[in-house]
Coordinates of all heavy atoms in Angstrom, one line a residue:
M1 N -20.7 83.5 99.5 CA -20.4 84.3 98.3 C -19.0 84.0 98.0 O -18.1 84.1 98.7 CB -20.7 85.8 98.5 CG -20.2 86.5 97.3 SD -20.3 88.3 97.2 CE -21.1 88.8 98.8
S2 N -18.8 83.7 96.7 CA -17.5 83.4 96.2 C -17.0 84.7 95.4 O -17.9 85.3 94.7 CB -17.3 82.1 95.4 OG -17.9 82.4 94.2
I3 N -15.7 85.0 95.4 CA -15.3 86.2 94.8 C -14.2 85.8 93.7 O -13.3 85.1 94.2 CB -14.7 87.3 95.7 CG1 -15.9 87.7 96.5 CG2 -14.1 88.5 94.8 CD1 -15.4 88.7 97.6
D4 N -14.3 86.1 92.5 CA -13.3 85.7 91.5 C -12.6 87.1 91.2 O -13.2 88.2 91.0 CB -14.0 85.2 90.3 CG -14.5 83.8 90.5 OD1 -13.8 83.0 91.2 OD2 -15.5 83.5 89.9
V5 N -11.3 87.1 91.2 CA -10.5 88.2 90.9 C -9.8 88.1 89.5 O -9.4 87.0 89.3 CB -9.4 88.4 91.9 CG1 -8.5 89.5 91.7 CG2 -10.1 88.6 93.3
V6 N -9.8 89.2 88.8 CA -9.1 89.3 87.5 C -8.2 90.3 87.6 O -8.6 91.5 87.7 CB -10.0 89.5 86.4 CG1 -9.3 89.6 85.0 CG2 -11.1 88.3 86.2
D7 N -6.8 90.1 87.4 CA -5.9 91.1 87.5 C -5.5 91.5 86.2 O -4.8 90.9 85.5 CB -4.6 90.6 88.2 CG -3.5 91.7 88.3 OD1 -3.7 92.8 87.9 OD2 -2.4 91.3 89.0
A8 N -6.1 92.8 85.8 CA -5.8 93.4 84.5 C -4.9 94.7 84.7 O -5.1 95.6 83.8 CB -7.2 93.7 83.9
S9 N -4.2 94.7 85.6 CA -3.5 96.0 86.0 C -2.5 96.3 84.8 O -2.4 97.5 84.5 CB -2.7 95.9 87.2 OG -1.8 94.7 87.3
D10 N -1.8 95.3 84.2 CA -0.9 95.6 83.1 C -1.7 96.3 81.8 O -1.3 97.1 81.3 CB -0.1 94.4 82.6 CG 0.9 93.9 83.7 OD1 1.3 94.7 84.4 OD2 1.2 92.7 83.6
L11 N -2.9 95.7 81.6 CA -3.7 96.2 80.6 C -4.1 97.6 80.8 O -4.0 98.6 80.0 CB -4.9 95.3 80.3 CG -5.9 95.8 79.2 CD1 -5.2 95.9 77.9 CD2 -7.1 94.9 79.1
F12 N -4.6 97.9 82.0 CA -5.0 99.2 82.3 C -3.9 100.2 82.3 O -4.0 101.3 81.6 CB -5.5 99.3 83.6 CG -7.0 98.9 83.8 CD1 -7.4 97.6 84.1 CD2 -8.0 99.9 83.8 CE1 -8.7 97.2 84.3 CE2 -9.3 99.5 83.9 CZ -9.6 98.2 84.1
L13 N -2.7 99.8 82.8 CA -1.6 100.7 82.8 C -1.1 100.9 81.4 O -0.7 102.1 81.0 CB -0.4 100.1 83.7 CG -0.8 100.2 85.2 CD1 0.4 99.4 85.9 CD2 -0.9 101.6 85.6
S14 N -1.1 99.9 80.5 CA -0.6 100.2 79.2 C -1.6 101.1 78.4 O -1.1 101.9 77.6 CB -0.4 98.9 78.4 OG -1.8 98.1 78.2
R15 N -2.8 100.9 78.7 CA -3.8 101.8 77.9 C -3.8 103.2 78.4 O -4.1 104.2 77.7 CB -5.1 101.3 78.1 CG -5.3 100.0 77.3 CD -6.9 99.7 77.3 NE -7.0 98.4 76.5 CZ -8.2 97.8 76.3 NH1 -9.4 98.3 76.8 NH2 -8.4 96.8 75.5
L16 N -3.3 103.4 79.7 CA -3.3 104.7 80.3 C -1.9 105.5 80.1 O -1.8 106.6 80.3 CB -3.7 104.7 81.7 CG -5.0 104.4 82.1 CD1 -5.1 104.1 83.5 CD2 -5.9 105.5 81.7
A17 N -1.0 104.7 79.6 CA 0.4 105.3 79.4 C 0.4 106.5 78.5 O -0.3 106.7 77.5 CB 1.3 104.2 78.7
N18 N 1.1 107.6 79.1 CA 1.1 108.8 78.3 C -0.1 109.6 78.2 O -0.3 110.5 77.3 CB 1.9 108.6 77.0 CG 3.1 108.1 76.9 OD1 4.0 108.4 77.8 ND2 3.4 107.0 76.2
V19 N -1.2 109.3 78.9 CA -2.4 110.0 78.8 C -2.5 110.9 80.1 O -2.4 110.3 81.2 CB -3.7 109.0 78.8 CG1 -5.0 109.8 78.9 CG2 -3.6 108.1 77.6
S20 N -2.6 112.2 79.9 CA -2.7 113.1 81.0 C -4.0 113.7 81.3 O -4.3 114.1 82.4 CB -1.7 114.3 80.8 OG -1.8 114.9 79.6
D21 N -4.8 113.7 80.3 CA -6.2 114.4 80.5 C -7.0 113.5 81.4 O -7.3 112.3 81.0 CB -6.9 114.5 79.1 CG -8.2 115.2 79.2 OD1 -8.4 116.3 79.7 OD2 -9.1 114.5 78.7
P22 N -7.5 114.1 82.4 CA -8.5 113.3 83.4 C -9.7 112.7 82.7 O -10.1 111.5 83.1 CB -8.8 114.3 84.5 CG -7.7 115.3 84.4 CD -7.3 115.4 83.0
E23 N -10.3 113.4 81.9 CA -11.5 113.0 81.2 C -11.2 111.8 80.2 O -12.0 110.8 80.3 CB -12.3 114.1 80.5 CG -13.5 113.6 79.9 CD -14.6 113.2 80.9 OE1 -14.5 113.5 82.1 OE2 -15.5 112.7 80.4
Q24 N -10.2 111.9 79.6 CA -9.7 110.8 78.6 C -9.3 109.5 79.4 O -9.7 108.4 79.1 CB -8.6 111.2 77.8 CG -8.2 110.2 76.7 CD -7.1 110.8 75.8 OE1 -6.4 111.7 76.1 NE2 -6.7 109.9 74.8
K25 N -8.7 109.7 80.6 CA -8.3 108.6 81.5 C -9.7 107.9 82.0 O -9.6 106.6 82.0 CB -7.5 109.1 82.6 CG -6.1 109.3 82.4 CD -5.3 109.7 83.7 CE -3.9 110.0 83.4 NZ -3.2 110.3 84.7
R26 N -10.6 108.8 82.3 CA -11.8 108.2 82.9 C -12.5 107.3 81.8 O -12.9 106.1 82.1 CB -12.9 109.3 83.3 CG -14.1 108.8 84.0 CD -15.1 110.0 84.1 NE -15.5 110.5 82.9 CZ -16.4 109.9 82.1 NH1 -17.0 108.7 82.5 NH2 -16.8 110.5 80.9
K27 N -12.5 107.8 80.6 CA -13.1 107.0 79.6 C -12.4 105.7 79.3 O -13.0 104.7 79.0 CB -13.3 107.9 78.4 CG -14.3 109.0 78.5 CD -14.4 109.9 77.2 CE -15.4 110.9 77.4 NZ -15.5 111.8 76.2
I28 N -11.0 105.7 79.2 CA -10.2 104.7 79.0 C -10.4 103.6 80.1 O -10.6 102.4 79.8 CB -8.7 105.1 78.9 CG1 -8.4 105.8 77.7 CG2 -7.9 103.8 78.9 CD1 -7.1 106.5 77.5
I29 N -10.4 104.1 81.3 CA -10.7 103.2 82.4 C -12.0 102.5 82.3 O -12.1 101.2 82.5 CB -10.6 103.8 83.9 CG1 -9.1 104.3 83.9 CG2 -11.0 103.0 85.0 CD1 -8.8 105.2 85.2
G30 N -13.1 103.2 82.1 CA -14.4 102.6 81.9 C -14.5 101.6 80.8 O -15.0 100.4 81.0
K31 N -13.9 101.9 79.6 CA -13.9 101.0 78.5 C -13.2 99.7 78.8 O -13.6 98.7 78.5 CB -13.5 101.7 77.2 CG -13.4 100.8 76.0 CD -12.9 101.3 74.8 CE -13.0 100.5 73.6 NZ -12.9 99.1 73.7
T32 N -12.0 99.9 79.4 CA -11.1 98.8 79.7 C -11.8 97.9 80.8 O -11.9 96.6 80.5 CB -9.7 99.3 80.2 OG1 -9.2 100.1 79.2 CG2 -8.8 98.1 80.4
F33 N -12.4 98.5 81.7 CA -13.2 97.7 82.7 C -14.2 96.8 82.0 O -14.4 95.6 82.3 CB -13.9 98.7 83.7 CG -14.5 97.9 84.9 CD1 -13.8 97.2 85.8 CD2 -15.9 98.0 85.1 CE1 -14.5 96.5 86.8 CE2 -16.6 97.4 86.1 CZ -15.9 96.7 86.9
I34 N -15.1 97.3 81.1 CA -16.0 96.5 80.5 C -15.4 95.5 79.5 O -15.9 94.4 79.5 CB -17.0 97.4 79.7 CG1 -17.8 98.4 80.6 CG2 -17.8 96.7 78.7 CD1 -18.6 97.6 81.6
D35 N -14.4 95.8 78.8 CA -13.6 95.0 77.9 C -13.1 93.7 78.7 O -13.4 92.6 78.4 CB -12.4 95.6 77.3 CG -12.8 96.7 76.2 OD1 -14.1 96.7 75.8 OD2 -12.0 97.3 75.8
V36 N -12.5 93.9 79.9 CA -12.1 92.9 80.8 C -13.1 92.0 81.4 O -13.2 90.8 81.2 CB -11.2 93.5 81.9 CG1 -10.8 92.4 83.0 CG2 -9.9 94.1 81.4
F37 N -14.3 92.7 81.8 CA -15.4 91.9 82.2 C -16.0 91.0 81.2 O -16.2 89.9 81.4 CB -16.5 92.9 82.7 CG -17.8 92.2 83.3 CD1 -17.6 91.6 84.4 CD2 -18.9 92.3 82.6 CE1 -18.8 91.0 84.9 CE2 -20.0 91.5 83.0 CZ -20.0 90.9 84.3
R38 N -16.2 91.5 80.0 CA -16.7 90.8 78.9 C -15.8 89.6 78.4 O -16.4 88.5 78.0 CB -17.1 91.7 77.7 CG -18.3 92.5 78.0 CD -18.6 93.4 76.8 NE -19.8 94.2 77.0 CZ -20.2 95.2 76.4 NH1 -19.3 95.8 75.4 NH2 -21.2 95.9 76.7
S39 N -14.5 89.8 78.5 CA -13.6 88.8 77.9 C -13.2 87.8 79.1 O -12.5 86.7 78.7 CB -12.4 89.4 77.4 OG -11.6 90.1 78.3
S40 N -13.6 88.0 80.2 CA -13.1 87.2 81.3 C -13.9 85.7 81.2 O -15.2 85.7 81.2 CB -13.4 87.8 82.7 OG -13.1 86.8 83.8
K41 N -13.2 84.8 81.4 CA -13.8 83.4 81.4 C -14.4 83.1 82.8 O -15.2 82.1 83.0 CB -12.7 82.4 81.1 CG -12.0 82.5 79.9 CD -12.7 82.0 78.8 CE -12.0 82.0 77.6 NZ -12.6 82.5 76.4
K42 N -14.0 83.9 83.8 CA -14.4 83.6 85.2 C -15.9 84.2 85.5 O -16.4 83.9 86.5 CB -13.6 84.3 86.2 CG -12.2 83.7 86.1 CD -11.3 84.4 87.2 CE -9.9 83.8 87.2 NZ -9.1 84.4 88.2
I43 N -16.6 85.0 84.6 CA -17.7 85.7 84.9 C -18.9 84.7 85.1 O -19.8 85.0 85.8 CB -18.0 86.9 84.1 CG1 -18.2 86.5 82.6 CG2 -16.9 88.0 84.2 CD1 -18.7 87.6 81.7
G44 N -19.0 83.8 84.2 CA -20.1 82.9 84.3 C -21.5 83.5 84.4 O -21.9 84.3 83.6
D45 N -22.1 83.2 85.5 CA -23.5 83.8 85.8 C -23.3 85.0 86.8 O -24.2 85.1 87.7 CB -24.5 82.8 86.3 CG -24.0 82.1 87.5 OD1 -22.9 82.3 88.0 OD2 -24.7 81.4 88.2
A46 N -22.4 85.9 86.8 CA -22.1 87.0 87.7 C -23.3 87.8 87.8 O -23.9 88.1 86.8 CB -20.9 87.7 87.3
K47 N -23.6 88.1 89.1 CA -24.8 89.0 89.3 C -24.3 90.4 89.6 O -25.1 91.4 89.6 CB -25.6 88.4 90.4 CG -26.3 87.1 90.0 CD -27.1 86.7 91.1 CE -27.9 85.4 90.8 NZ -27.1 84.2 90.7
F48 N -23.1 90.5 90.0 CA -22.4 91.8 90.4 C -21.2 92.0 89.7 O -20.4 91.1 89.5 CB -22.2 91.9 92.0 CG -23.5 91.7 92.8 CD1 -23.8 90.4 93.3 CD2 -24.4 92.8 92.9 CE1 -25.0 90.2 94.0 CE2 -25.5 92.6 93.7 CZ -25.8 91.3 94.1
L49 N -20.9 93.3 89.5 CA -19.6 93.7 88.9 C -18.9 94.8 89.9 O -19.6 95.7 90.2 CB -19.9 94.2 87.5 CG -18.8 94.8 86.7 CD1 -17.8 93.7 86.3 CD2 -19.3 95.4 85.4
A50 N -17.7 94.6 90.2 CA -17.1 95.5 91.1 C -15.7 95.9 90.6 O -15.0 95.2 89.9 CB -16.9 94.9 92.5
Q51 N -15.3 97.1 90.9 CA -14.0 97.6 90.5 C -13.4 98.2 91.7 O -14.0 98.9 92.6 CB -14.2 98.8 89.4 CG -13.0 99.4 89.0 CD -13.3 100.5 88.0 OE1 -14.5 100.4 87.4 NE2 -12.6 101.4 87.9
G52 N -12.1 98.0 91.8 CA -11.3 98.5 92.9 C -9.9 98.8 92.7 O -9.4 98.4 91.7
N53 N -9.3 99.4 93.5 CA -7.9 99.6 93.4 C -7.2 99.9 94.9 O -8.0 100.0 95.8 CB -7.6 100.9 92.7 CG -8.2 102.3 93.1 OD1 -8.0 102.5 94.3 ND2 -8.8 103.0 92.3
T54 N -6.0 100.0 94.9 CA -5.3 100.2 96.0 C -4.5 101.4 95.9 O -4.0 101.6 94.9 CB -4.4 98.9 96.5 OG1 -3.4 98.7 95.5 CG2 -5.2 97.8 96.8
L55 N -4.4 102.2 96.9 CA -3.6 103.4 97.0 C -2.6 103.3 98.1 O -2.8 103.1 99.1 CB -4.5 104.7 97.1 CG -3.8 106.0 97.2 CD1 -3.0 106.3 96.0 CD2 -4.8 107.1 97.5
S56 N -1.3 103.4 97.6 CA -0.2 103.3 98.7 C 0.4 104.8 98.7 O 0.7 105.2 97.6 CB 0.6 102.2 98.5 OG 1.3 102.3 97.3
R57 N 0.7 105.2 99.8 CA 1.5 106.5 99.9 C 2.7 106.3 100.7 O 2.7 105.7 101.7 CB 0.5 107.5 100.7 CG -0.7 107.9 99.9 CD -1.5 108.9 100.6 NE -2.8 109.0 100.0 CZ -3.1 110.1 99.3 NH1 -2.3 111.0 99.1 NH2 -4.3 110.2 98.8
C58 N 3.9 106.7 100.2 CA 5.1 106.6 100.7 C 5.5 108.0 101.4 O 5.5 108.8 100.7 CB 6.0 106.0 99.8 SG 5.8 104.5 99.1
N59 N 5.6 107.9 102.7 CA 6.0 109.2 103.3 C 7.4 109.2 103.6 O 8.1 108.3 104.0 CB 5.1 109.4 104.6 CG 3.7 109.6 104.3 OD1 3.4 110.0 103.2 ND2 2.9 109.2 105.2

């Protein structure tokens, strides 16, 4: 299986800037995810769609 990665972190962060309501954030993330998937040149005949993030904690 090959995995293609699209880094849309800047787009997500810009759309979420100054948004504090969790429900509004959820909707923005969902819409942005679909927008990125649809506009990606890499999707071709993709059969699966996955979303992920990394969480780092500094102690």
Side-chain angles (χ1 to χ4, degrees):
M1 169 183 358
S2 71
I3 297 175
D4 292 317
V5 176
V6 176
D7 182 355
S9 55
D10 289 339
L11 178 60
F12 277 91
L13 292 174
S14 68
R15 290 185 177 184
L16 290 168
N18 302 313
V19 178
S20 59
D21 179 59
E23 183 63 17
Q24 188 178 5
K25 284 183 178 184
R26 185 189 67 77
K27 289 178 181 180
I28 291 168
I29 291 168
K31 181 182 182 330
T32 304
F33 184 64
I34 296 301
D35 291 347
V36 170
F37 180 74
R38 287 184 176 156
S39 67
S40 175
K41 303 279 188 225
K42 296 181 179 183
I43 61 173
D45 61 349
K47 294 181 176 77
F48 300 98
L49 179 62
Q51 173 179 341
N53 61 47
T54 58
L55 174 65
S56 61
R57 296 180 191 253
C58 298
N59 294 335

